[in-house]
């Protein structure tokens, strides 16, 4: 089963973005996390069956900081939930899809993640997400 897990949005200030999403839009933060390896703090907000993931860089070499330097704040990626991330990566690799991550790494909120290069997905950075049981 696959579904949209979340949409990642790069922001300069997590606290300022959370104010807008909670106070103006009416969503609620489901949780915060920080992933040191990726240099990012995240806030997850539930919206229907999916979530919005607000991403704030914690250091200058963070992929989110690099993204915002080039493009500014905005949609960073679309995440798709998969049941078995290794099988999904192997299927994509066999199909000739360019991967950023050939092996899963730790993601926010006890998940395993891997990114698919936007050159293979028509300009969209795609993240695969597997939830740990």
């Amino acid at each position: 089963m696959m579904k949209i897990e979340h949409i990642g949005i790069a922001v300069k200030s997590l606290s300022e973005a959370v104010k807008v999403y909670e106070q103006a839009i009416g969503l609620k933060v489901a949780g915060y996390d920080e992933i040191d390896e990726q240099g990012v703090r995240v806030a997850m907000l539930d919206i229907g069956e999916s979530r919005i993931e607000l991403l704030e860089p914690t250091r200058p070499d963070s992929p989110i900081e690099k993204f915002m330097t080039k493009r500014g704040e905005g949609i960073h990626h679309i995440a798709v939930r998969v049941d078995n991330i290794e099988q999904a990566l192997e299927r994509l690799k066999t199909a000739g899809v360019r991967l950023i991550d050939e092996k899963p790494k730790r993601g926010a909120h006890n998940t395993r993640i891997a990114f698919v290069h936007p050159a293979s997905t028509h300009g969209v950075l795609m993240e695969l997400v597997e939830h740990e049981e």
Side-chain angles (χ1 to χ4, degrees):
M1 175 189 88
M2 292 179 64
K3 72 173 193 170
I4 293 179
E5 162 67 23
H6 65 263
I7 296 173
I9 301 174
V11 299
K12 292 177 185 173
S13 168
L14 202 56
S15 62
E16 290 301 313
V18 164
K19 283 182 197 174
V20 172
Y21 281 85
E22 283 192 325
Q23 294 173 10
I25 299 172
L27 301 178
K28 298 290 180 218
V29 171
Y32 290 92
D33 202 353
E34 187 164 338
I35 301 93
D36 292 330
E37 305 87 52
Q38 297 175 36
V40 68
R41 282 183 358 114
V42 303
M44 294 298 252
L45 299 105
D46 291 329
I47 183 165
E49 291 185 4
S50 297
R51 298 184 289 176
I52 291 175
E53 178 184 52
L54 302 175
L55 303 141
E56 175 191 68
T58 59
R59 60 178 195 256
D61 66 338
S62 162
I64 299 302
E65 181 63 40
K66 291 177 183 178
F67 173 87
M68 286 195 301
T69 298
K70 289 181 183 175
R71 295 177 186 89
E73 293 181 295
I75 293 178
H76 179 260
H77 66 271
I78 296 174
V80 176
R81 186 173 184 162
V82 297
D83 291 330
N84 185 314
I85 197 165
E86 282 89 0
Q87 285 179 358
L89 287 168
E90 188 57 37
R91 182 176 61 248
L92 290 166
K93 190 174 179 179
T94 300
V97 173
R98 185 173 167 194
L99 303 173
I100 293 173
D101 303 305
E102 294 204 10
K103 296 198 181 301
K105 57 188 175 185
R106 175 177 128 31
H109 306 289
N110 203 31
T111 59
R112 296 188 325 138
I113 64 168
F115 284 92
V116 178
H117 199 284
S120 291
T121 51
H122 304 276
V124 176
L125 179 61
M126 184 174 288
E127 178 184 19
L128 305 177
V129 180
E130 178 187 282
H131 285 259
E132 301 267 329
E133 296 302 325

